[in-house]
Amino acid sequence: MADGDKELVALFEGLDTPSVSDAMDKLGLPGQCFGIAPLDDYTQTVVGPAFTVKYVPATTPPGTVGDFIDDVAEGDVVVIDNDGRTDCTVWGDIMTQYAGAHRFAGTVIDGVCRDVAKALGDGYPMFTRGRFMRTGKDRVQVEAVNVTISVGQARVGPRDIVVADANGVIVVPRERAREVAKLAREIEGVEHQIREEIARGKSLKEAREALGYHNLQRRR
């Protein structure tokens, strides 16, 4: 991972997708990936720059399926746009093994995966529309890598910052990453104060009003 990527990823250390989502809402930025769910209830947040992949229906003869994986760097999140297809997969256990061995941060698919026992057993983070056993070979092919794609209605550009956890996936535009991370930390700080006030005996209403809870996510 390049130094610039490492710097941006570090900004999101310790944050979760709800706080990042609230910050994006306040800034008027889209980025939440609708319908993309974690394969497991991950306790850690995945953060990394997006390595984007665009799939299309196969031609005759069909093109390649997974050869792009050799170009993905350690720490990257592979983000695949398969147009939301759930009738064939674009990720299986061999790719999971490779991704784990090369320390990818995780994989996000607007589509489905298979061989999920490998990903679950290895603890490799996967975020998809579901699981299905039918291969994508001869059904889909890679059209392009590191281009702008769409995943769960969210725009994903190459090297945008992906944040994913048990709540789902959100994509932060690279050029706004510092601003989003700073605001997300401020929001988390206020929510932490609210929890402390509740622990001291204040009502939820009192704590929220005192700390301006209802303005946290409102657009500036």
Side-chain angles (χ1 to χ4, degrees):
M1 190 190 300
D3 289 343
D5 290 330
K6 290 178 181 178
E7 177 193 355
L8 295 181
V9 167
L11 295 175
F12 292 86
E13 184 177 349
L15 296 174
D16 58 17
T17 58
S19 60
V20 175
S21 177
D22 289 349
M24 298 271 280
D25 280 347
K26 194 170 185 71
L27 294 169
L29 298 173
Q32 296 88 349
C33 297
F34 298 108
I36 310 299
L39 193 63
D40 200 3
D41 289 329
Y42 304 118
T43 57
Q44 300 295 320
T45 301
V46 171
V47 184
F51 182 102
T52 62
V53 184
K54 173 63 180 174
Y55 272 86
V56 294
T59 56
T60 304
T64 63
V65 177
D67 292 350
F68 69 84
I69 202 167
D70 294 318
D71 298 322
V72 181
E74 179 178 333
D76 284 0
V77 178
V78 179
V79 185
I80 299 173
D81 176 2
N82 194 29
D83 199 29
R85 288 183 64 169
T86 57
D87 64 320
C88 64
T89 187
V90 291
W91 190 279
D93 56 353
I94 294 174
M95 297 178 77
T96 296
Q97 180 177 338
Y98 186 98
H102 290 78
R103 298 184 179 181
F104 298 178
T107 298
V108 176
I109 306 171
D110 198 341
V112 293
C113 60
R114 70 176 189 176
D115 303 319
V116 298
K118 178 65 174 173
L120 291 169
D122 290 357
Y124 179 74
M126 295 281 301
F127 304 83
T128 76
R129 287 195 179 274
R131 55 188 84 181
F132 193 52
M133 82 296 296
R134 191 161 76 163
T135 182
K137 293 174 185 174
D138 299 338
R139 294 187 173 95
V140 294
Q141 65 188 46
V142 173
E143 180 178 63
V145 299
N146 287 324
V147 295
T148 298
I149 59 174
S150 176
V151 173
Q153 301 179 35
R155 179 185 184 278
V156 189
R159 316 315 285 175
D160 281 350
I161 302 302
V162 179
V163 185
D165 59 20
N167 301 288
V169 180
I170 189 163
V171 180
V172 181
R174 187 178 180 87
E175 66 275 11
R176 305 291 295 274
R178 291 177 180 81
E179 184 181 8
V180 171
K182 181 177 182 293
L183 184 54
R185 290 198 184 280
E186 292 173 2
I187 291 171
E188 279 207 348
V190 172
E191 292 189 340
H192 177 71
Q193 288 179 275
I194 290 172
R195 289 191 290 270
E196 287 189 332
E197 291 298 315
I198 293 171
R200 294 189 185 103
K202 276 193 177 180
S203 70
L204 180 59
K205 181 180 180 180
E206 288 173 332
R208 283 178 166 177
E209 287 180 350
L211 291 159
Y213 173 81
H214 294 293
N215 293 318
L216 287 180
Q217 301 85 10
R218 286 183 180 154
R219 189 167 178 174
R220 287 177 170 173

